[in-house]
Amino acid sequence: MSIRVHIGGRICLPEEAKISVFDRGFLYGDSVYETIGTAYGRLFALQDHLVRLERSAERIGLRVPPRAEIEKAVADTVAAAGNPESRVRIILTRGAGKLDLDPAAVDDTQMVVIVFPLGPPSPAMYEKGVSVAIVSVQRNSPNAIDPAVKSGNYLNNVLALGEARRRSGAYEAILCAADGSVAEGSTSNIFIVARGEVRTPGLDVGILDGITRSKVLDLCRANGIPLRETRISREELRGAEEVFITSATRGALPVTKVDDSPVGDGKPGPVTRKVMALYDVLARAGVP
Ligand code: PDD
């Protein structure tokens, strides 16, 4: 199990990986990133993640290296780390410059790829489910740092998770939008099951267009599972029959406690289990 970092065009050990204190990713969170997981030893949905990385970069006017260059860096670093399953983080920063906020002041994109062992969730977390807490920290307005842009500026989410952990030791924080409806987790999208129907907030609520979320939506559609993208109130989340969260390194993970109260009978429900099974079939088949 090892960590390897691709930085400045070469692969090195974590303790050798250094970046300038003048880098705008460090100074301002002026960067974009992606987290990708492997499943059954292969990168899952790499192309979807690269498309989103390019889209995020375009939205903030950050120049992206050619896709083939990123793909090679990722493949080489995953191979160098040699883990059975990996978690891959691709970071693009605008580069280092003078202490000048103007993004036009610098155009020196730095690419960093970090490969870790995949790590949790553990099998027990999938079997028993995890807890979430609805926090007071609001999801960023799409008119501020648009949640659709996966930027390195995660302070809002950092504070949200801090609140959830402090308040109830919850595994994940759930942030709401300005209208009070449920938006998403600090690093995950959220789904509920109500009256047998899978429901998740639409992109218009102001959330990240999760790659796992969109795979789950496709799986529901293809398998006749009733589905609706709709606004979800806090009360609906607290009263849901089932709840699960999704992200690249977790797939679909059951939630069995919301704000310290059990969801349904406190065990992962049948619809969640079905979605997890379908996702596993997809992961086994592989998505390029
Ligand atoms: N986070 N919403 C937010 C705010 C996220 O940060 C993430 C992913 C998701 C899920 O998106 P996807 O299915 O594409 O992973 C939703 C990753 C795991 C991270 O921050 O490392």
Side-chain angles (χ1 to χ4, degrees):
M1 295 291 212
S2 63
I3 302 176
R4 289 290 181 278
V5 184
H6 191 289
I7 185 166
R10 70 177 194 98
I11 296 171
C12 61
L13 296 169
E15 56 272 25
E16 296 164 348
K18 301 272 161 51
I19 194 143
S20 166
V21 294
F22 296 103
D23 189 281
R24 296 172 61 98
F26 172 71
L27 288 174
Y28 312 126
D30 190 359
S31 62
V32 293
Y33 83 100
E34 281 296 322
T35 297
I36 308 157
T38 64
Y40 296 95
R42 287 165 302 174
L43 289 159
F44 183 80
L46 173 65
Q47 295 306 319
D48 292 292
H49 285 278
L50 293 178
V51 166
R52 189 173 64 188
L53 184 71
E54 289 163 358
R55 211 173 52 216
S56 295
E58 194 187 338
R59 290 280 306 276
I60 67 163
L62 194 154
R63 198 172 38 80
V64 184
R67 191 173 304 181
E69 202 177 297
I70 305 178
E71 283 172 338
K72 183 168 181 339
V74 169
D76 290 352
T77 316
V78 168
N83 300 316
E85 299 291 356
S86 296
R87 171 194 187 96
V88 180
R89 189 177 173 103
I90 307 171
I91 304 155
L92 301 177
T93 84
R94 208 183 297 275
K98 300 199 185 78
L99 289 177
D100 177 355
L101 279 188
D102 183 3
V106 181
D107 177 20
D108 184 25
T109 299
Q110 297 295 307
M111 175 173 65
V112 177
V113 177
I114 311 175
V115 175
F116 308 89
L118 184 61
S122 63
M125 291 163 80
Y126 287 102
E127 274 156 37
K128 293 190 185 139
V130 298
S131 59
V132 301
I134 305 171
V135 295
S136 65
V137 177
Q138 199 176 296
R139 191 63 177 110
N140 298 95
S141 158
N143 297 322
I145 302 171
D146 189 344
V149 174
K150 200 162 169 57
S151 86
N153 198 315
Y154 256 52
L155 185 55
N156 202 51
N157 304 37
V158 166
L159 297 177
L161 186 62
E163 181 183 332
R165 292 276 160 93
R166 225 177 25 250
R167 207 173 70 209
S168 60
Y171 168 77
E172 174 64 306
I174 302 301
L175 296 90
C176 295
D179 67 1
S181 72
V182 168
E184 63 181 334
S186 69
T187 57
S188 60
N189 290 111
I190 185 147
F191 290 74
I192 68 167
V193 179
R195 297 187 193 177
E197 183 182 63
V198 171
R199 296 181 191 166
T200 194
L203 300 181
D204 59 327
V205 170
I207 58 171
L208 183 71
D209 183 1
I211 307 295
T212 320
R213 173 186 180 277
S214 88
K215 299 289 177 228
V216 166
L217 294 181
D218 290 347
L219 287 171
C220 288
R221 287 188 196 107
N223 290 277
I225 299 173
L227 167 73
R228 195 142 54 100
E229 291 180 68
T230 182
R231 281 196 154 55
I232 297 171
S233 70
R234 293 162 203 237
E235 293 68 37
E236 283 168 325
L237 173 56
R238 292 196 187 105
E241 289 149 25
E242 302 180 33
V243 179
F244 60 93
I245 55 174
T246 62
S247 82
T249 51
R250 288 170 284 205
L253 180 64
V255 171
T256 46
K257 234 194 226 178
V258 175
D259 286 341
D260 284 327
S261 296
V263 175
D265 65 1
K267 298 197 189 91
V271 179
T272 304
R273 286 187 183 283
K274 173 86 183 158
V275 168
M276 288 165 72
L278 290 170
Y279 198 80
D280 186 57
V281 171
L282 184 68
R284 196 183 284 266
V287 174

